[in-house]
Amino acid sequence: MLILFLSFFGLFIGSFLGVVVDRFGTKQSVFVGRSECEHCHVALKVIDLVPVASFILLHGKCRHCHAKISWKYPLMECITAILFGLTAWRYTIPMLLPVGFVPVHLDLFLFRDLLFVSLLLILFLIDARHGVLPDVFTLPGIVLITAMNIWLGIPLMTLVVGGLVVGGFFALQYFVSRGTWVGGGDIRLGVLLGVMFGLSQGVLSLMIAYIIGAAFALVLIWRKKAAMKSTLSFGPFLAIAGWIVLIFGPYISQYYLPF
Ligand SMILES: [Zn+2]
């Protein structure tokens, strides 16, 4: 029931996150002004804003000018719904329960996880599109996740060590390369993963991010879409690794990381 409800809720949050990402870098406020058709700029009616359903009912076209609506909107809504559903699902599988979980605080744990999932979605898309991981999302994320983890009774030391090691890993590369290998945003996203996961799961998320990043780079080189020298934004790989560790981390570290 909870899984279904949160997946459904995820459709609407996904729609909202899409607006946040679209309006990033423009002067338009996220909360002011109705969404409009990219083509004819007619404001969309409430009935045209229902996640996924509107897209299907309108056959993917604007009600007024019949211009095609980008499939990225329903895709974003579906991905958010799936991630929200998986986040709720993990709490039904004993093996996937987070460290320090107490059933009394299920709502708080879920809230923290969904906040984390949503932040990573925003950071994934903005980094993929603009090549930056803006402080306006990473810094409040670090503060909120740290505060919630302390509230949930996770030792402060665990969070500090996790944040310092995972963030420090990028800070080291940043200083050695004078900011050419990684950006300052990667340091902050590293700290966010560290305070979310603690040391061992935080390092696990780093390893997974590098495996996915390397695989992706190889595919690009193999398809000759990128030269050996070109650089990729690393944020999206960290975000994917964050989702994997959030949902499957306890399982992976129990069976594949005996140390
Ligand atoms: Zn239109």
Side-chain angles (χ1 to χ4, degrees), residues 37-42 62-67:
C37 168
E38 283 174 350
H39 191 71
C40 65
H41 299 289
V42 166
C62 170
R63 189 185 290 278
H64 295 274
C65 68
H66 303 286

Side-chain angles (χ1 to χ4, degrees), residues 168-180:
F169 175 77
F170 288 108
L172 193 69
Q173 293 186 60
Y174 184 83
F175 289 116
V176 167
S177 72
R178 289 163 201 261
T180 53

Side-chain angles (χ1 to χ4, degrees), residues 4-254:
L4 268 181
F5 171 76
L6 282 177
S7 302
F8 188 69
F9 179 61
L11 287 175
F12 289 87
I13 294 293
S15 180
F16 173 72
L17 297 179
V19 174
V20 172
V21 172
D22 264 358
R23 294 188 182 181
F24 174 76
T26 71
K27 289 203 170 115
Q28 212 178 353
S29 157
V30 169
F31 299 103
V32 182
R34 195 67 81 59
S35 293
E36 55 181 36
C37 168
E38 283 174 350
H39 191 71
C40 65
H41 299 289
V42 166
L44 298 178
K45 290 181 187 146
V46 174
I47 195 166
D48 297 339
L49 291 169
V50 183
V52 185
S54 292
F55 186 82
I56 295 169
L57 287 173
L58 293 168
H59 302 287
K61 288 181 187 138
C62 170
R63 189 185 290 278
H64 295 274
C65 68
H66 303 286
K68 273 195 177 159
I69 304 168
S70 171
W71 49 265
K72 70 185 182 192
Y73 296 106
L75 182 69
M76 173 72 176
E77 289 152 6
C78 288
I79 288 174
T80 312
I82 291 168
L83 285 170
F84 274 37
L86 280 172
T87 303
W89 168 77
R90 80 176 290 210
Y91 286 95
T92 64
I93 311 290
M95 199 185 284
L96 296 181
L97 289 175
V99 181
F101 177 67
V102 268
V104 197
H105 286 151
L106 174 64
D107 47 356
L108 273 174
F109 270 95
L110 265 176
F111 182 75
R112 177 200 64 175
D113 289 1
L114 296 179
L115 179 76
F116 180 71
V117 162
S118 307
L119 266 172
L120 290 185
L121 268 165
I122 293 174
L123 291 169
F124 179 109
L125 291 172
I126 291 181
D127 199 15
R129 196 182 294 176
H130 303 282
V132 287
L133 293 165
D135 290 349
V136 67
F137 298 111
T138 50
L139 295 182
I142 292 168
V143 172
L144 281 173
I145 299 285
T146 304
M148 294 200 68
N149 273 340
I150 292 170
W151 181 262
L152 289 169
I154 296 165
L156 182 62
M157 211 49 201
T158 308
L159 309 177
V160 172
V161 171
L164 282 179
V165 171
V166 184
F169 175 77
F170 288 108
L172 193 69
Q173 293 186 60
Y174 184 83
F175 289 116
V176 167
S177 72
R178 289 163 201 261
T180 53
W181 295 344
V182 295
D186 293 305
I187 304 175
R188 262 113 34 207
L189 180 52
V191 173
L192 177 64
L193 292 173
V195 296
M196 177 70 190
F197 294 133
L199 183 60
S200 71
Q201 302 253 309
V203 171
L204 177 66
S205 69
L206 270 184
M207 288 162 55
I208 292 175
Y210 272 92
I211 293 168
I212 299 168
F216 187 76
L218 282 177
V219 170
L220 285 187
I221 290 164
W222 174 57
R223 294 181 63 184
K224 297 194 171 63
K225 289 232 169 115
M228 286 298 284
K229 273 185 183 169
S230 59
T231 53
L232 280 171
S233 293
F234 199 57
F237 304 116
L238 283 172
I240 297 172
W243 294 321
I244 293 174
V245 171
L246 175 72
I247 295 158
F248 300 106
Y251 176 79
I252 299 171
S253 45
Q254 193 177 343

